[in-house]
Structures are given as C-alpha cells and as structure tokens.
Amino acid sequence: MADTSTWALSAVSTTQANEHAPCEDDCGIRDVLDRLGDRWSVLVIVALAKGTRRFGELKAAVPGISQRMLTVTTKRLIRDGLVERTVYPMIPPQTDYRLTAMGESFSQAVADLADWSRRHKEAIALARLRFEVEHPGEL
Amino acid sequence: MADTSTWALSAVSTTQANEHAPCEDDCGIRDVLDRLGDRWSVLVIVALAKGTRRFGELKAAVPGISQRMLTVTTKRLIRDGLVERTVYPMIPPQTDYRLTAMGESFSQAVADLADWSRRHKEAIALARLRFEVEHPGEL
DNA sequence: CAGCATCCCGGCGGATACTG
DNA sequence: CAGTATCCGCCGGGATGCTG
C-alpha cells in the first residue's frame, strides 16, 4: 500500500477557476482590513479619537508620518466616511479633522483590538522567542 | 496682520529626530495589525476557526491563496503562537493545522471586527459613492 | 500531499521640491 | 500652514518548477 506513484495523479481540484476569488459570501471586511492594513490609518484614527485636530497637530501627533502619507491617509478615511474635514479659508489656512459618528464607532472597535493585543503581547513575544530558537533564521 | 512672510519661517518642529518612531507608548498593536494587514492571515484564521484542517483542505478553504502564501502565512501564525502544526510522518504525508487557545481568542476578536464591518458596509459603500461624485478621479 | 527555491512585477510609501 | 506633484526603492505576494 501507500505507493508513491498513485497520489501523484490524484488531481488537486484547485477550487476550479475562481477568477479573482472575491469572497462573494462575507466581505465588506476587506474594506475594513485594508484600512487596518496600511501603515497609518489606525494611528490617525487613534490620534483623532482624542478630539478635533488640525493638519499640523495631526502630523505631530502621529510621529514618523510624512505630509504626503498624512494627506493620502486622511483622504482615504474621508472617502470611507470615517473622518470629516472642515476648511477655514484664512491666511494662513486652517483645516480641522474630526471623526464622524461611524469613525468614533470604528475607533471603539480599534480600541477593543488594542485591548486584545495588550493582553497578549507577552504571549506573542514569548511565542516568537520560542520559534526563533526552534527555527532559527526562518522568517 | 497675517503677513504671508511670517509663517513661512515658523519652523514645523518636525517631531525632532525620531529615528524609526517605534511608538514607544502603546505598541504590541503593530504585531497584531501586521497580521491583520497581510492579505491572507485573517482568512486562514477564519478557516481554522471551523476546526482542524490539513494543508490541502486549508488551501481549498481559502480560495485564491497560493501554496507559497499558505505556507508563509501559516508559518507566521505559528511563530506568533496563534496556530499549531502536527506532522504525521506517513506516505503520503499529512499535516494538521489548528488554532491554539490564543488563536481562538484572536479568532473571536476578528469575528467582532467582522461584525462591525457587516453593520457598516452599506454606510461605507454610500460614503464612497458620495466621495466619488464630489471628488471624481481622486483615489 | 506538503512543502521549498527562484524569478519577477505592482504599488505602498519615503524623500524632496514647489504652490496658494 | 496645508497641501500637490514627481521620482524611486522596497517587499508583499503571484507564477512556476523541483523535492521527500
């Protein structure tokens, strides 16, 4: 039994032609994960959770972000309806950013996630150490 | 007042030399966000939430993933202590993947997130439509 | 079946310069 | 101050081929 030549032909039936496999069922999660995925969205949300901020204040509140990524990120958040922008036409110009109702809600969800990571950060760090000794060099 | 030549010199005080700006305060969230960020981790977690799966079953359960990304993703999840792997040395070989206790906990957190996105997907879609008409072409 | 090794491309995001 | 425009390097991840 267990001839190595048999299972070579047992076709994998690779989910037969799924084109782009766009989830179909669940999704909508993708949009959320995309925001969570990029480097800055969450940080900006967290900063705005403390209240309305101007562009410069926001930049200062999110250490390391470039002006470009700040504009791009805020624009994406605005597009998704998480953030609102108010422009005061003065010299020098002023622009205020604040969370929308949905933004606040999202902020709460993020906070819950932060809670989870706080409760498990030691366990994760430990797991990584173990992995490093058992599989040195990998990843 | 409001002379346009004055504020040109008011140095931005660009968060003075933060090297890599590694958060310092919060963090641990970065690790979690990194898992949420990549394209497949969440999908694999969701698939494993339904129970133990073999490599091939997992591949079938996550439509669109390549064998390479499946190995890479599972390995990362194992490294972080979210997934366990059991190898049965037989011909043909068999490998089982299952969530750890922490993995189950994480799976729950993800489920909460999925809930949020389900409750707001319409609102997000609507916001995007509005944005598209008001700012055609951007993003 | 369950992987590892290699090649390669797209786009995310950093750095820099310019404008109202 | 609050952006916009441009250039560019890096790496996440797809496709393919080979092994135990």
Side-chain angles (χ1 to χ4, degrees), chain B residues 7 54-56 68 71 75 85 93 95 97:
Chain B
W7 49 272
R54 306 182 41 170
F55 189 86
R68 180 178 123 77
T71 39
K75 192 170 290 187
R85 198 175 75 132
T95 311
Y97 293 89

Side-chain angles (χ1 to χ4, degrees), chain A residues 17-123:
Chain A
N18 223 336
E19 292 196 335
H20 277 157
C23 306
E24 310 182 16
D25 47 349
D26 53 46
C27 267
I29 316 181
R30 272 266 62 89
D31 302 326
V32 177
L33 290 179
D34 283 348
R35 296 305 91 244
L36 289 172
D38 64 44
R39 199 137 210 79
W40 301 111
S41 291
V42 172
L43 284 310
V44 171
I45 293 281
V46 168
L48 285 179
K50 295 164 189 160
T52 300
R53 294 283 183 273
R54 306 180 44 170
F55 189 85
E57 295 173 335
L58 213 44
K59 181 157 166 31
V62 183
I65 195 172
S66 63
Q67 56 299 52
R68 182 177 120 78
M69 286 320 293
L70 183 53
T71 40
V72 171
T73 301
T74 51
K75 194 171 288 187
R76 291 205 275 235
L77 294 174
I78 290 169
R79 178 199 54 178
D80 290 359
L82 298 172
V83 166
E84 264 175 353
R85 198 174 75 132
T86 315
V87 180
Y88 300 97
M90 39 174 63
I91 305 290
Q94 173 171 349
T95 311
D96 284 4
Y97 293 89
R98 54 185 292 272
L99 293 181
T100 62
M102 181 162 64
E104 303 256 20
S105 168
F106 184 70
S107 159
Q108 184 54 51
V110 168
D112 293 346
L113 215 61
D115 266 7
W116 189 93
S117 57
R118 243 188 306 278
R119 284 196 301 275
H120 295 86
K121 57 181 295 189
E122 280 85 7

